[in-house]
Amino acid sequence: MTKQFIYGIDIGGSKIELAVFDASLKQLESWRIATPQNSYQDFLNALVGMILSADHKYQCHGAVGIGMPGIVNANQQVLSANVPHATGKNAAQDLAQLINRPVAIENDCRCFALSEARSSVGLQHTRVFGAILGTGAGGGLCIDGQLYKSAQGIAGEYGHYALSAVLQQKYQLPILKCGCGLTGCIESYIAGPGLARIYQHFSGEVLTTFEIVEGLRKGDVFCQQSFACYLDLIGSTFAAIIMAYDPEVIVVGGGMSLVDELMSKLEEAIVPYVFADIRVPKIVLAEFGDASGARGAAILAKEQVGALA
């Protein structure tokens, strides 16, 4: 019997990762390339090159699933600030024509959510929300292990909730324009670069997010003040997620999820922003870490297009 292989492709603004899985979703290997910046055709050609390389190595035509940053609407058209050349394009259809096989596609954060809903923790719960806190902020809801699909593909885009007016006034935060075209999106404050923006607001100085976390651990006053504001903003935002989706567990991934001071205090930070009798769901670290987006894309490929010989 011919072995079956599945390719999960996680696309970002700076890198593209292809992970190869067997039919049981065991990851065999992965590799990355830089995301082409010049044209849509260069972007497609890069994907084709990675897929054909995997085909050659594994002597098959693997099933392909893509996790794409931005919105993938009901017509499969992409709206992506991180991969602007793909905006308005049907990337899955265009790629499928080039590699002569169907391609599954979904928002990268929702691929992450799907992967974590099929984790050891996620499988214990009916309603699982996956939240990325990295270069950006986004997520998705899974019910009974299945990705919740909304009419326009925008469910889970919590990074584009508006900054709380109460917290904006409390900390006198600047109103920032978001890359999506809206103004005051919470992503500008709670994604990884947001902590640096908050620090600059309080101190007038420029530090990286990593340096601010180090300063926090050393007792630096501005770092502590910035992190307290940052935690308050995430608490308010996650409370809004809970009010909208009522998940039993929130799984957090992305670079900021690796900051212990955040993960250990997040449940407590949510409490002031939900009704008094509402139970705050468990907040847990992603089981599959950086590999979760590609794994979720592979799950989509396996279930939507099937593994091809």
Side-chain angles (χ1 to χ4, degrees):
M1 181 177 177
T2 304
K3 286 189 176 180
Q4 296 178 322
F5 298 96
I6 308 164
Y7 310 151
I9 302 177
D10 188 16
I11 297 172
S14 60
K15 58 84 182 173
I16 299 173
E17 179 176 6
L18 185 148
V20 180
F21 298 83
D22 66 16
S24 65
L25 291 174
K26 176 184 177 182
Q27 184 172 323
L28 304 177
E29 68 169 314
S30 67
W31 66 92
R32 296 180 176 185
I33 64 169
T35 304
Q37 305 295 329
N38 294 327
S39 71
Y40 179 60
Q41 192 59 53
D42 285 348
F43 170 70
L44 288 177
N45 290 341
L47 293 175
V48 170
M50 296 183 84
I51 292 164
L52 294 184
S53 293
D55 283 352
H56 177 73
K57 180 169 184 178
Y58 289 90
Q59 293 297 293
C60 71
H61 288 81
V64 178
I66 293 176
M68 187 80 189
I71 294 169
V72 181
N73 68 21
N75 296 320
Q76 299 282 280
Q77 291 177 314
V78 172
L79 172 60
S80 178
N82 291 329
V83 189
H85 292 300
T87 291
K89 309 291 187 180
N90 189 323
Q93 177 178 285
D94 294 341
L95 180 61
Q97 291 176 348
L98 293 172
I99 61 173
N100 195 31
R101 77 197 77 162
V103 173
I105 190 169
E106 184 52 86
N107 167 270
D108 56 344
C109 294
R110 282 184 271 289
C111 285
F112 163 83
L114 178 60
S115 174
E116 293 300 326
R118 308 285 184 90
S119 69
S120 58
V121 171
L123 288 170
Q124 299 175 37
H125 301 283
T126 297
R127 300 175 67 87
V128 178
F129 193 93
I132 292 286
L133 284 170
T135 305
L141 175 71
C142 290
I143 302 173
D144 292 325
Q146 299 296 320
L147 193 60
Y148 170 68
K149 302 284 286 185
S150 61
Q152 300 183 77
I154 58 175
E157 289 288 344
Y158 77 90
H160 301 283
Y161 292 171
L163 168 66
S164 161
V166 171
L167 294 181
Q168 188 275 326
Q169 293 186 28
K170 177 179 178 180
Y171 296 106
Q172 291 297 294
L173 294 169
I175 306 298
L176 303 174
K177 189 169 180 61
C178 181
C180 74
L182 299 175
T183 300
C185 291
I186 196 64
E187 179 178 89
S188 299
Y189 307 85
I190 65 170
L195 179 57
R197 294 186 185 106
I198 293 169
Y199 177 84
Q200 186 173 13
H201 166 66
F202 284 124
S203 70
E205 304 293 330
V206 177
L207 288 182
T208 66
T209 298
F210 176 80
E211 290 169 334
I212 296 165
V213 172
E214 287 297 303
L216 171 70
R217 292 168 179 167
K218 293 176 181 178
D220 179 90
V221 173
F222 280 126
C223 292
Q224 290 177 330
Q225 183 183 20
S226 302
F227 186 76
C229 171
Y230 177 81
L231 185 62
D232 206 7
L233 291 169
I234 294 182
S236 170
T237 304
F238 275 38
I241 292 172
I242 294 165
M243 301 289 270
Y245 298 108
D246 196 16
E248 296 163 57
V249 62
I250 299 177
V251 184
V252 186
M256 294 306 296
S257 71
L258 303 179
V259 178
D260 292 340
E261 291 84 353
L262 171 63
M263 294 300 292
S264 64
K265 297 176 181 177
L266 188 46
E267 290 184 24
E268 181 182 347
I270 294 169
V271 171
Y273 300 104
V274 294
F275 298 140
D277 59 346
I278 295 295
R279 177 186 62 81
V280 174
K282 291 193 296 184
I283 310 293
V284 301
L285 188 64
E287 180 175 330
F288 295 99
D290 287 346
S292 216
R295 182 174 180 269
I299 292 171
L300 284 177
K302 180 179 181 180
E303 297 183 351
Q304 291 185 14
V305 304
L308 306 177

